[in-house]
Amino acid sequence: MSALPRSYNPFAEDEEEEDVAPAGPGGAGGADRQRFLQQEVLRRSAATADSTTRSLSLLYESERIGVAASEELIRQGEALKRTEQMVDKMDQDLKTSQRHINSIKSVWGGLVNYFKAKPPESKPEQNEAPEYYANSRLKEAMMSSKEQESKYQESHPNLRKLDNSDNDFNKADLVSPVQRDAYPKNQQLRAYHQKIDNNLDEMSSGLSRLKSLALGLQTEIEEQDDMLDRLTKKVETLDVNIKNTDRKVRQL
């Protein structure tokens, strides 16, 4: 059995080999098979490149949703901080009310309040929202992900530029000679392989950023969970003090 001719190689750079019909019977069939194999390789390479592009687009979308969830979690932390400040102020006002009730009930209560240390005066309310600082891990992850918003817009089907396909093949000539040797010699196939490798590299970076976002969200949730536990205890204590104060007022 004779060896397969070189023209069967779909990666050949010299297209002149395709024009030379193999000698012997069945030469035309061999040329047709060669063209079929070349088209099949290009078709599968294009499908793989499109698949990695879609995966990369989904990755950017997941990253965008993660940033939006982080921003919403930070707003929730600001709301919790405002609530805690309101509860602290209510507790301070309640202590002041208890001092006045003791003064009204008896002279002895007034003397006790006179010699008793006064509670620290509460600061005047500020109309501005209290500053809330999320954990550093989450902020760094959000900043890193927000830098990729332009790539998300480029990869989005409705925002993608129409001339991207032409640019992909033009970029294939910008690689270094060492990198060019690692790809097939066929220009079109080389562009597909380079695009696949670039997409895989971007997916690796995107997954790393998603991991950082997830770890930052976990840390932020744990800190807000501690804040909720602290706020719950303060509210329970405030509820008991309110009931005691109400009972004292009824006894006047």
Side-chain angles (χ1 to χ4, degrees):
M1 181 180 294
S2 60
L4 292 175
R6 292 182 58 191
S7 58
Y8 273 87
N9 182 9
F11 310 109
E13 184 178 14
D14 297 330
E15 301 295 340
E16 296 178 355
E17 295 181 358
E18 298 181 3
D19 299 335
V20 179
D32 292 340
R33 179 174 175 80
Q34 176 185 349
R35 285 191 293 271
F36 171 77
L37 290 175
Q38 289 178 347
Q39 293 175 359
E40 183 67 14
V41 169
L42 291 175
R43 185 187 66 81
R44 296 195 178 189
S45 299
T48 303
D50 291 339
S51 177
T52 56
T53 299
R54 289 193 299 270
S55 300
L56 188 60
S57 178
L58 292 174
L59 188 62
Y60 286 145
E61 174 68 11
S62 301
E63 192 171 358
R64 188 183 68 85
I65 294 175
V67 172
S70 301
E71 293 174 345
E72 184 62 29
L73 189 63
I74 291 177
R75 285 193 290 269
Q76 176 178 301
E78 293 173 353
L80 287 174
K81 185 172 183 178
R82 286 195 299 269
T83 303
E84 187 175 13
Q85 288 181 345
M86 291 174 60
V87 171
D88 291 338
K89 186 178 184 305
M90 291 174 64
D91 184 67
Q92 186 66 35
D93 293 341
L94 189 60
K95 290 179 180 179
T96 303
S97 300
Q98 289 176 348
R99 288 175 56 85
H100 293 165
I101 292 173
N102 291 336
S103 300
I104 294 173
K105 287 182 64 175
S106 63
V107 178
W108 174 252
L111 292 174
V112 171
N113 288 337
Y114 181 79
F115 291 103
K116 189 176 181 180
K118 294 182 179 180
E121 297 181 358
S122 58
K123 297 181 179 180
E125 295 185 12
Q126 297 180 353
N127 295 329
E128 299 181 358
E131 294 184 1
Y132 178 79
Y133 300 98
N135 67 86
S136 58
R137 173 179 289 182
L138 181 59
K139 290 193 297 184
E140 292 176 358
M142 289 177 61
M143 291 178 59
S144 177
S145 294
K146 284 184 176 181
E147 293 176 355
Q148 310 300 319
E149 289 182 356
S150 60
K151 293 184 178 180
Y152 162 72
Q153 293 179 356
E154 293 175 359
S155 64
H156 195 280
N158 296 333
L159 303 176
R160 190 182 305 162
K161 296 181 180 179
L162 297 178
D163 57 350
N164 276 355
S165 58
D166 296 336
N167 292 337
D168 290 337
F169 292 104
N170 293 334
K171 292 177 181 177
D173 297 331
L174 301 178
V175 298
S176 63
V178 177
Q179 293 175 331
R180 190 179 294 113
D181 292 340
Y183 293 107
K185 293 182 179 180
N186 182 277
Q187 182 180 3
Q188 192 174 8
L189 191 60
R190 181 170 68 244
Y192 284 136
H193 281 214
Q194 183 184 0
K195 183 176 181 181
I196 292 171
D197 288 346
N198 291 339
N199 287 344
L200 291 176
D201 290 340
E202 288 292 332
M203 290 171 63
S204 176
S205 301
L207 289 173
S208 177
R209 292 192 302 271
L210 276 178
K211 179 181 178 181
S212 299
L213 270 176
L215 293 175
L217 284 169
Q218 180 183 4
T219 304
E220 182 67 19
I221 290 174
E222 290 175 353
E223 292 179 357
Q224 291 192 18
D225 188 55
D226 294 338
M227 187 185 301
L228 280 171
D229 291 340
R230 184 173 65 249
L231 182 58
T232 300
K233 294 178 181 179
K234 288 183 178 182
V235 170
E236 291 176 352
T237 302
L238 181 63
D239 182 64
V240 173
N241 293 336
I242 290 175
K243 291 179 180 179
N244 292 336
T245 303
D246 181 69
R247 186 175 63 254
K248 291 180 180 180
V249 170
R250 293 178 183 276
Q251 293 176 355
L252 291 179

Coordinates of all heavy atoms in Angstrom, one line a residue, residues 18 31 38 47 66 90 92-93 127 140 145 172 181 186 199 204 215 221 223-224 248:
E18 N -2.8 21.7 -4.2 CA -4.1 21.3 -4.5 C -4.4 21.2 -6.0 O -5.3 20.5 -6.5 CB -5.1 22.2 -3.8 CG -5.0 22.2 -2.3 CD -5.9 23.2 -1.7 OE1 -6.7 23.8 -2.4 OE2 -5.9 23.3 -0.4
A31 N -8.2 14.2 -4.7 CA -8.2 15.7 -4.5 C -9.5 16.1 -3.9 O -9.5 17.0 -3.0 CB -8.1 16.3 -5.9
Q38 N -10.1 19.3 4.4 CA -9.7 20.7 4.7 C -10.9 21.5 5.2 O -10.9 22.2 6.2 CB -9.1 21.4 3.5 CG -7.7 20.9 3.2 CD -7.1 21.5 1.9 OE1 -7.8 22.2 1.2 NE2 -5.8 21.4 1.7
A47 N -16.3 26.1 14.6 CA -17.3 25.8 15.6 C -16.7 25.8 17.0 O -17.4 26.3 17.9 CB -17.9 24.4 15.3
G66 N -22.3 39.1 39.2 CA -21.6 39.1 40.4 C -21.3 40.5 41.0 O -21.4 40.7 42.2
M90 N -32.2 55.4 69.8 CA -33.4 55.1 70.6 C -33.1 54.7 72.0 O -33.7 55.0 73.0 CB -34.2 54.0 69.9 CG -34.9 54.5 68.6 SD -35.7 53.1 67.7 CE -37.0 52.7 68.8
Q92 N -30.4 55.5 73.7 CA -29.9 56.7 74.4 C -31.1 57.6 74.8 O -31.1 58.1 75.9 CB -28.9 57.5 73.4 CG -28.3 58.6 74.1 CD -27.3 58.2 75.2 OE1 -26.7 57.1 75.1 NE2 -27.2 58.9 76.3
D93 N -32.0 57.8 73.9 CA -33.2 58.6 74.3 C -34.0 57.9 75.4 O -34.6 58.6 76.3 CB -34.1 58.8 73.1 CG -33.4 59.6 72.0 OD1 -32.5 60.3 72.4 OD2 -33.9 59.6 70.8
N127 N -27.9 64.3 58.1 CA -28.8 63.9 57.1 C -28.1 62.9 56.1 O -28.7 62.2 55.4 CB -29.3 65.1 56.3 CG -30.2 66.0 57.2 OD1 -30.9 65.4 58.1 ND2 -30.2 67.3 57.0
E140 N -11.6 44.9 46.1 CA -10.6 44.6 45.1 C -11.2 43.8 44.0 O -10.9 44.0 42.8 CB -9.4 44.0 45.7 CG -8.6 44.9 46.7 CD -7.5 44.1 47.4 OE1 -7.4 42.9 47.1 OE2 -6.8 44.8 48.2
S145 N -13.2 43.3 38.3 CA -14.2 42.9 37.4 C -14.8 44.0 36.6 O -15.1 43.9 35.5 CB -15.3 42.2 38.2 OG -14.9 41.0 38.8
A172 N -4.0 37.5 13.6 CA -3.2 36.3 13.5 C -1.8 36.6 13.0 O -0.9 35.8 13.3 CB -3.9 35.3 12.6
D181 N 5.1 29.5 15.1 CA 5.6 28.1 14.8 C 4.7 27.1 15.5 O 4.6 25.9 15.1 CB 7.0 27.9 15.2 CG 7.9 28.8 14.3 OD1 7.5 29.1 13.2 OD2 9.1 29.1 14.7
N186 N -1.5 26.9 7.8 CA -2.6 27.5 7.1 C -3.1 28.7 7.8 O -3.4 28.7 9.0 CB -3.7 26.4 7.0 CG -4.9 27.0 6.2 OD1 -5.8 27.7 6.8 ND2 -5.0 26.6 5.0
N199 N -9.3 32.8 23.8 CA -10.5 32.7 24.5 C -10.3 31.9 25.8 O -10.9 32.2 26.9 CB -11.6 32.1 23.7 CG -12.2 33.0 22.6 OD1 -11.9 34.3 22.7 ND2 -12.9 32.5 21.6
S204 N -9.8 31.6 31.7 CA -9.1 31.3 32.9 C -9.0 32.5 33.8 O -9.2 32.4 35.0 CB -7.7 30.8 32.5 OG -6.9 30.6 33.7
L215 N -15.4 34.7 46.9 CA -14.7 34.8 48.3 C -15.0 36.1 49.0 O -15.3 36.2 50.2 CB -13.2 34.6 48.1 CG -12.8 33.2 47.7 CD1 -11.3 33.1 47.5 CD2 -13.2 32.1 48.7
I221 N -20.8 38.6 53.5 CA -22.1 38.0 54.1 C -21.8 37.6 55.5 O -22.6 37.8 56.4 CB -22.5 36.8 53.3 CG1 -23.1 37.3 51.9 CG2 -23.6 36.0 54.0 CD1 -23.4 36.2 50.9
E223 N -19.6 39.0 57.6 CA -19.6 40.2 58.4 C -21.0 40.8 58.7 O -21.3 41.3 59.8 CB -18.7 41.3 57.7 CG -17.2 40.8 57.7 CD -16.3 41.9 57.0 OE1 -16.9 42.9 56.5 OE2 -15.1 41.7 56.9
Q224 N -21.8 40.8 57.6 CA -23.2 41.3 57.8 C -24.0 40.4 58.7 O -24.9 40.8 59.4 CB -23.8 41.5 56.5 CG -23.2 42.6 55.7 CD -24.1 43.0 54.5 OE1 -25.3 42.7 54.4 NE2 -23.5 43.7 53.5
K248 N -43.2 51.9 84.3 CA -42.9 53.0 85.3 C -43.8 54.2 85.0 O -44.2 54.9 86.0 CB -41.4 53.4 85.2 CG -40.4 52.3 85.7 CD -39.0 52.8 85.6 CE -38.0 51.7 86.1 NZ -36.6 52.2 86.0

